[in-house]
Amino acid sequence: MKILSKNSAIGRREFLAATSGLLATAVPGGEMLAHAPNSEGPHSNAAAPTPAGAMRKIPIGVFDPVYKDLSLDAMLDKVSALGLEVMEIGTGGYPENHHCPLDELVTDRAKAKAWQKRFEDRGLRVATLSCHGNPIHPDPQHAQKDIDTFRKTVLLAEILGVKVIVGFSGCPGGTPQDTQPNWITYRWPPEYAEMQDWQWKERIVPYWKDAAKYAREHGIKRLAFEMHPNFAVYNPRTLMKLREAVGEEIGANCDLSHLFWQGCDPVEVIHFLGKQGALFHAHMKDTVLYPEYVARYGVLNFAIKKEERPEASDEFRAVGYGHSASLWKAVVKAYMYVGYEGILSIENEDLILSGEVGVERAAYVLKNVRGELLSE
């Protein structure tokens, strides 16, 4: 995988700081994409041949926390103006519920339908509801809050006819006495293997068996887990482990930004999960890796805040600003090829192209590569 170097005459960070404002005023994505790092995965130009017949036009939308400072109507005006077609709406948990008064809507069907109609009046569809929390947190109060949010989200999805709920698998403690989560990824020394086995047997699988049953009873058969660090499901293997233990209600929110830094090939992941019938949702977010810091510190050296950027090995970027547009074209093609039935949901956590600007750039890239694929 080719990854962007920080070495340049004026310095990579200085260049980005100096040019981001200028680029924002240009044709969306045009200038930056011309110089985007060509971080192609090993199979990005070798996707399987397109099957015969029409390729599905996968709807492009956005996850609403990026507009947390806007009212619902102001947000809908922004999203509609971008020519997007669908939305993913947070109902609680870590992203909170800035535009979805969950308690009100779930107890009043008329209010819920009126809320949904505000989207439809602008040509938008609420495609997924998201409650990214930790319902198996060892703190009982924390866990119960996220359990309640999940159950209310299921009820709202039933009212609205939404078929996919997005979230995290959660992470328990390592023992019954723990008060904080314990993310275990390496099974040695032996006590770590014992703790991980206990987590899955006593906390993770039992909770999600019960939660999946509850969702199924209310007509929701797609629980899309984001494969995210610090949670039990963090890569395709752990996702499939949970799916095999719980049932086919468990699937992926395939956010490639968390898989790029783990060394996954995006096209390979999409084909693997698609073959299993486990692709339920897709976050559209990029990651850039900086080779000198990867070489020095490894990949577990991620910048979450701006002040962490100077020596970071990797950070989130808007689509097309961590990997080239040709890579993202291969990604969208792979989704089309496997018959993915969900949406492409832009999630912007870019520290340079923050907020609405990152959404605009990502939308520009995705709409263009989708258009190219549909016209081929």
Side-chain angles (χ1 to χ4, degrees), residues 241-253:
K241 179 180 179 179
L242 187 61
R243 180 179 170 91
E244 289 162 6
V246 172
E248 293 185 353
E249 289 83 10
I250 305 300
N253 165 23

Side-chain angles (χ1 to χ4, degrees), residues 23-321:
L23 292 171
T25 64
V27 174
E31 181 66 269
M32 182 60 95
L33 287 174
H35 300 89
N38 187 25
S39 306
E40 308 295 349
H43 302 302
S44 60
N45 291 315
T50 303
M55 298 282 272
R56 175 178 179 257
K57 181 181 179 180
I58 303 174
I60 299 171
V62 62
F63 187 22
D64 76 304
V66 70
Y67 298 107
K68 64 182 180 180
D69 296 326
L70 297 181
S71 68
L72 175 60
D73 287 328
M75 175 189 71
L76 295 178
D77 288 341
K78 289 274 186 182
V79 174
S80 178
L82 287 175
L84 299 180
E85 301 133 342
V86 288
M87 291 205 70
E88 173 185 356
I89 299 296
T91 61
Y94 296 111
E96 300 181 9
N97 59 328
H98 303 284
H99 304 106
C100 178
L102 182 62
D103 289 340
E104 291 181 31
L105 301 184
V106 81
T107 56
D108 189 326
R109 184 181 183 88
K111 280 188 178 180
K113 287 294 188 179
W115 178 83
Q116 185 180 40
K117 188 174 184 299
R118 291 164 76 177
F119 292 81
E120 295 171 348
D121 287 345
R122 292 171 173 82
L124 296 165
R125 174 170 61 91
V126 179
T128 55
L129 298 176
S130 293
C131 50
H132 292 75
N134 187 355
I136 52 176
H137 195 288
D139 179 338
Q141 289 186 324
H142 185 139
Q144 192 59 54
K145 181 180 179 181
D146 288 341
I147 290 169
D148 292 344
T149 296
F150 170 78
R151 286 180 168 247
K152 291 174 185 176
T153 301
V154 167
L155 296 178
L156 181 59
E158 182 180 27
I159 293 170
L160 301 177
V162 171
K163 300 302 182 183
V164 179
I165 292 176
V166 184
F168 293 136
S169 61
C171 185
T175 70
Q177 294 76 38
D178 287 356
T179 60
Q180 293 295 332
N182 190 341
W183 185 44
I184 301 169
T185 62
Y186 199 77
R187 292 175 58 81
W188 195 90
E191 57 266 31
Y192 288 91
E194 292 173 8
M195 287 192 290
Q196 190 182 62
D197 290 342
W198 176 85
Q199 289 179 321
W200 280 82
K201 181 180 179 181
E202 301 296 333
R203 293 290 187 267
I204 300 166
V205 172
Y207 171 77
W208 283 111
K209 278 188 174 180
D210 181 65
K213 179 176 180 290
Y214 181 81
R216 186 168 58 249
E217 290 171 348
H218 291 277
I220 309 303
K221 299 178 181 179
R222 295 193 167 199
L223 305 179
F225 289 131
E226 187 165 342
M227 295 171 281
H228 194 292
N230 283 327
F231 295 105
V233 168
Y234 61 91
N235 63 13
R237 187 180 182 195
T238 50
L239 176 78
M240 294 308 299
K241 179 180 179 179
L242 187 61
R243 180 179 170 91
E244 289 162 6
V246 172
E248 293 185 353
E249 289 83 10
I250 305 300
N253 165 23
C254 193
D255 187 332
L256 295 172
S257 71
H258 304 302
L259 302 182
F260 284 130
W261 63 265
Q262 294 185 58
C264 294
D265 180 289
V267 172
E268 175 68 22
V269 167
I270 293 166
H271 279 268
F272 169 71
L273 294 175
K275 185 177 180 180
Q276 311 300 320
L279 275 176
F280 294 168
H281 189 62
H283 273 174
M284 295 287 104
K285 187 172 67 181
D286 212 337
T287 296
V288 65
L289 292 91
Y290 301 117
E292 58 266 50
Y293 290 119
V294 170
R296 185 179 304 169
Y297 303 129
V299 296
L300 291 174
N301 177 42
F302 216 95
I304 300 299
K305 300 177 181 179
K306 287 185 178 180
E307 55 267 29
E308 298 169 345
R309 296 190 64 241
E311 290 191 290
S313 300
D314 25 39
E315 64 179 306
F316 295 133
R317 296 303 316 270
V319 170
Y321 289 79

Side-chain angles (χ1 to χ4, degrees), residues 7 92-93 157 176 229 320 331 367 376:
N7 298 324
V331 165
K367 287 193 290 184
E376 288 178 355

